[in-house]
């Protein structure tokens, strides 16, 4: 049944013969007017309905991936997304199309690059892990590959996949060290499910992706400390039958996690197994601590993995170790924290927030002074995200730790917070100002000296932070800093009340004096 389209002012009759105009339609996909582009895409999709198969049409669209007009190249990508959303992956030979998309990820035009990646993500959503393997073989530069894989992970973790579970190995359980359980790596960690959005297929209606910007859910896959704490014990139950049994398990875990040639889901399960062993009381065995040292390399490797599931399991597991072992996790914490920092600038939320949550839990439970320089060294990172987090970490650390754990590093704490108060980024400054009050609790004289060294505009901002936090305490005037110690004590007492959530150690601090 032919149907009529108003197309560029011409009424076209769409039936088999309209496919002869496919090259012209590809040109029209690059038109300057949204309306023309939309109609072209609609007509192409209609062609698929009318002819033998969508792939027949796609064979004829292939030259469009190399069209000289960037909008046409972008339009062909968007049209492929629209095809997938309409017909699924079944009728398409995607292995013929994916190489074109991969080439376009390096296109000179940013909109085309973005559209090609978005479409690759759509292909991945429909086909699953085979796409990752295929894209991985196309010789793309590592950084670009990492970006693409992060986007795949984002789709996976946001519950936005469009495939049936049986099509994708990543959704099946692998009989690994975990035993033959039906809960896969994903199940261990419940990322809030984002309902499948038909709106994702809006590419079908809007061939002009606004400026090529990805508008996907910003917080997709983001995790926090509470998620971690739930995941600590959401692991298979195991029993430790003997020291020998524990050692065998730990050796096997180390072997699996130290070699990234093992399947990612085996490595994720092996990391989870460490938590199972912790729950079963592994920390009561002396040999556990020797083995833990041997696992440093495995944790670092896992936290650098390209697969977000492996990274997440590594982050959860080191955080769990910190919680259970406290300061006995000093060595492991020192080894892993720098790697966790490198996750923070990652564009995949699940990676970045896993790193942050792990560091925060480690700061809460493993109070080893050697962590302080690791944190302060990143206070001058080029990444704004890292700097903001660094001051947040310092704030937490100053709330949670006893003064004696901080004393050796007073100078560097003061210096870092001072830099933060003057940071170019306003959010980083906010975090640094919070940390300032923590510093003042422990080291009033040093904090006052820092205050007095600041330009008056920064002093005023610090003051106004204090007012907005509800405290009436006042900061020293430059001319009476000698009395500041006494004031600090009272000030800290009051600040305490405003932060009762974290006031545990702070209160001790006040009482101790
Ligand atoms: C492993 O799990 C599969 C599927 O759940 C099941 O068919 C198989 O019998 C199980 N094997 C063992 C050894 O439990
Ligand atoms: C953190 O600091 C270390 C040491 O200065 C540096 O090597 C690393 O690149 C920094 N990490 C980030 C994410 O800025
Ligand atoms: C501060 O505390 C000291 C003793 O704890 C007390 O003598 C003093 O009056 C307090 N000052 C203010 C301003 O509350």
């Amino acid at each position: 049944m032919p149907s009529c389209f108003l197309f560029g002012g011409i009424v076209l009759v769409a039936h088999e013969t309209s496919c002869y105009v496919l090259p012209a339609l590809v040109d029209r996909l690059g038109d300057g007017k949204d309306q023309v582009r939309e109609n072209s895409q609609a007509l192409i999709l209609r062609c698929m309905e009318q002819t033998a198969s969508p792939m027949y049409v796609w064979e004829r669209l292939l030259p469009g991936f190399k069209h000289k007009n960037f909008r046409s190249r972008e339009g062909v990508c968007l049209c492929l997304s629209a095809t997938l959303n309409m017909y699924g992956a079944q009728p398409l030979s995607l292995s013929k199309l994916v190489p074109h998309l991969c080439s376009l990820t390096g296109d000179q035009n940013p909109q085309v690059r973005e559209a090609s990646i978005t479409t690759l993500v759509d292909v991945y959503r429909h086909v699953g892990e085979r796409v990752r393997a295929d894209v991985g073989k196309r010789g793309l530069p590592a950084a670009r590959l990492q970006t693409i894989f992060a986007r795949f992970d984002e789709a996976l973790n946001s519950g936005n996949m469009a495939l049936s579970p049986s099509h994708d190995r990543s959704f099946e359980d692998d009989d690994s060290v975990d035993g033959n359980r039906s809960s896969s790596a994903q199940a261990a960690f419940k990322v809030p499910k984002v309902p499948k959005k038909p709106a994702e297929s809006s590419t079908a209606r809007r061939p002009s992706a606004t400026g090529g910007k990805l508008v996907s859910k910003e917080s997709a896959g983001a995790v926090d400390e509470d998620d971690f704490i739930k995941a600590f014990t959401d692991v298979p139950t195991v029993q430790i039958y003997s020291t020998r049994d524990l050692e065998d398990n730990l050796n096997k875990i180390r072997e699996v996690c130290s070699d990234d040639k093992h399947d990612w889901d085996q490595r994720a399960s092996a990391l989870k197994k460490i938590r199972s062993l912790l729950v079963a009381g592994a920390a009561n065995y002396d040999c556990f601590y020797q083995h833990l040292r041997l696992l440093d390399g495995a944790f670092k490797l896992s936290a650098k993995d390209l697969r977000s599931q492996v990274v997440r399991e590594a982050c959860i597991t080191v955080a769990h170790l910190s919680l259970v072992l406290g300061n006995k996790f000093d060595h492991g914490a020192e080894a892993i924290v720098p790697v966790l920092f490198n996750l923070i600038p990652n564009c995949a939320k699940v990676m970045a927030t896993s790193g942050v949550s792990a560091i925060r839990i480690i700061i809460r439970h493993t109070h080893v002074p050697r962590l302080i320089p690791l944190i302060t060294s990143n206070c001058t990172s080029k990444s704004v995200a890292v700097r903001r987090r660094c001051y947040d970490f310092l704030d937490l650390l100053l709330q949670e730790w006893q003064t004696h754990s901080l004393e050796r590093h007073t100078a560097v704490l003061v210096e870092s917070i001072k830099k933060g108060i003057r940071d170019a980024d306003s959010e980083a400054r906010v975090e640094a100002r919070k940390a300032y009050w923590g510093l003042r609790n422990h080291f009033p004289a040093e904090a006052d000296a820092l205050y007095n060294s600041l330009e008056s505009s920064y002093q005023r901002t610090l003051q106004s932070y204090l007012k907005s936090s509800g405290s009436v305490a006042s900061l020293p005037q430059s001319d009476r800093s000698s009395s500041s110690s006494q004031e600090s004590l009272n000030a800290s007492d009051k600040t305490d009340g405003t932060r009762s959530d974290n006031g545990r150690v702070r209160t001790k601090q006040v009482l101790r004096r």
Side-chain angles (χ1 to χ4, degrees):
M1 197 60 180
S3 38
C4 294
F5 284 83
L6 183 62
F7 175 64
I10 312 164
V11 177
L12 284 184
V13 178
H15 53 82
E16 298 85 340
T17 56
S18 73
C19 293
Y20 293 124
V21 303
L22 280 170
L25 290 177
V26 171
D27 289 341
R28 297 298 83 188
L29 282 177
D31 197 280
K33 293 197 196 67
D34 290 7
Q35 186 71 43
V36 175
R37 294 201 298 274
E38 281 172 28
N39 285 345
S40 311
Q41 190 187 73
L43 198 47
I44 291 169
L45 291 170
R46 184 52 69 97
C47 273
M48 295 173 196
E49 261 174 61
Q50 312 262 327
T51 63
S53 80
M55 198 56 208
Y56 175 87
V57 171
W58 269 101
E59 300 276 12
R60 275 137 201 89
L61 293 177
L62 290 180
F65 285 116
K66 299 197 169 106
H67 201 283
K68 62 183 186 304
N69 180 345
F70 84 88
R71 277 193 203 282
S72 288
R73 299 197 297 276
E74 182 191 22
V76 173
C77 293
L78 298 170
C79 194
L80 180 52
S81 284
T83 308
L84 281 165
N85 287 323
M86 191 171 278
Y87 292 97
Q90 209 72 49
L92 299 172
S93 309
L94 286 162
S95 54
K96 285 190 187 159
L97 302 172
V98 165
H100 293 281
L101 293 173
C102 286
S103 308
L104 289 185
T105 60
D107 195 276
Q108 68 204 33
N109 182 287
Q111 259 169 266
V112 176
R113 293 199 294 273
E114 178 58 33
S116 63
I117 293 180
T118 303
T119 304
L120 275 175
V121 171
D122 276 329
V123 175
Y124 171 77
R125 285 175 48 236
H126 283 86
V127 178
E129 293 308 318
R130 270 183 294 144
V131 179
R132 195 189 297 262
D134 189 29
V135 171
K137 279 184 289 200
R138 304 261 152 224
L140 301 180
R144 199 191 307 161
L145 203 56
Q146 193 167 6
T147 307
I148 295 170
F149 285 1
R151 294 273 293 269
F152 287 180
D153 290 334
E154 205 177 300
L156 184 62
N157 295 322
S158 60
N160 216 359
M161 299 298 280
L163 41 89
S164 77
S166 61
H167 286 157
D168 188 343
R169 235 185 71 74
S170 76
F171 281 77
E172 291 167 6
D173 193 32
D174 194 68
D175 185 4
S176 58
V177 288
D178 224 345
N180 196 10
R181 296 183 72 256
S182 60
S183 78
S184 69
Q186 283 86 19
F189 195 76
K190 291 179 196 74
V191 175
K193 279 269 187 274
V194 178
K196 219 181 256 178
K197 280 215 207 120
E200 281 283 299
S201 65
S202 61
T203 39
R205 267 165 277 120
R206 290 176 48 253
S208 60
T210 44
K213 267 271 171 57
L214 173 75
V215 284
S216 80
K217 310 118 299 214
E218 238 232 303
S219 61
V223 295
D224 62 18
E225 288 170 69
D226 286 342
D227 296 323
F228 265 38
I229 288 162
K230 281 183 210 127
F232 285 166
T233 51
D234 186 11
V235 288
T237 308
V238 299
Q239 276 195 338
I240 301 170
Y241 296 103
S242 63
T243 301
R244 178 67 195 278
D245 177 43
L246 177 61
E247 293 199 298
D248 287 348
N249 272 307
L250 290 169
N251 283 330
K252 180 155 185 208
I253 290 166
R254 189 175 71 248
E255 192 264 314
V256 171
C257 293
S258 303
D259 182 357
D260 57 12
K261 281 177 199 67
H262 284 287
D263 275 354
W264 69 268
D265 44 0
Q266 285 192 12
R267 287 181 287 126
S269 298
L271 289 162
K272 235 175 16 172
K273 180 83 176 251
I274 295 175
R275 305 207 298 278
S276 294
L277 292 169
L278 276 177
V279 172
N284 301 326
Y285 292 76
D286 286 340
C287 72
F288 183 71
Y289 297 89
Q290 295 142 27
H291 279 269
L292 195 57
R293 287 211 162 208
L294 300 176
L295 280 167
D296 282 351
F299 288 139
K300 286 200 242 181
L301 190 68
S302 305
K304 288 179 192 160
D305 204 272
L306 285 181
R307 296 296 304 233
S308 66
Q309 287 88 343
V310 175
V311 170
R312 203 172 52 198
E313 289 303 330
C315 288
I316 297 168
T317 302
V318 296
H320 192 205
L321 283 163
S322 171
L323 174 80
V324 174
L325 307 180
N327 285 1
K328 285 189 186 158
F329 188 55
D330 57 347
H331 193 267
E334 221 185 318
I336 198 70
V337 161
V339 185
L340 297 176
F341 261 105
N342 288 334
L343 293 172
I344 298 175
N346 198 301
C347 62
K349 279 281 183 288
V350 62
M351 300 268 208
T353 53
S354 290
V356 168
S357 299
I359 294 174
R360 284 183 62 92
I361 290 172
I362 288 171
I363 288 174
R364 284 186 198 281
H365 300 287
T366 303
H367 300 186
V368 281
R370 285 188 307 269
L371 291 181
I372 295 174
L374 295 180
I375 298 170
T376 55
S377 74
N378 285 99
C379 284
T380 49
S381 168
K382 281 196 275 299
S383 158
V384 169
V386 171
R387 296 206 306 278
R388 288 175 184 170
R389 285 306 181 170
C390 274
Y391 297 116
D392 170 53
F393 295 149
L394 288 183
D395 179 42
L396 180 67
L397 186 141
L398 288 161
Q399 288 177 50
E400 297 274 334
W401 291 19
Q402 301 279 342
T403 305
H404 66 79
S405 307
L406 306 166
E407 268 156 1
R408 249 194 294 161
H409 297 286
T410 315
V412 72
L413 284 168
V414 169
E415 190 193 330
S416 301
I417 291 170
K418 182 169 175 176
K419 279 192 190 121
I421 288 172
R422 295 160 148 170
D423 196 283
D425 176 70
S426 66
E427 270 190 52
R429 292 199 297 274
V430 170
E431 298 302 332
R433 288 199 291 269
K434 287 187 204 157
Y436 173 85
W437 293 102
L439 181 76
R440 199 157 191 267
N441 252 348
H442 294 281
F443 308 109
E446 286 82 354
D448 287 352
L450 162 55
Y451 178 87
N452 288 327
S453 73
L454 290 170
E455 296 80 353
S456 60
S457 59
Y458 293 117
Q459 290 182 340
R460 278 197 300 275
T461 331
L462 262 181
Q463 288 276 14
S464 62
Y465 172 80
L466 192 58
K467 286 198 192 93
S468 69
S469 73
S471 171
V472 294
S474 67
L475 275 159
Q477 302 300 312
S478 316
D479 58 334
R480 53 180 187 93
S481 48
S482 57
S483 66
S484 61
S485 270
Q486 197 54 61
E487 281 176 17
S488 309
L489 200 55
N490 296 1
S492 54
D493 214 343
K494 279 165 186 150
T495 318
D496 222 11
T498 66
R499 291 216 202 149
S500 50
D501 52 341
N502 280 316
R504 190 164 49 85
V505 175
R506 186 173 288 231
T507 310
K508 270 186 232 148
Q509 210 58 55
V510 171
L511 293 177
R512 231 161 48 86
R513 282 165 187 269

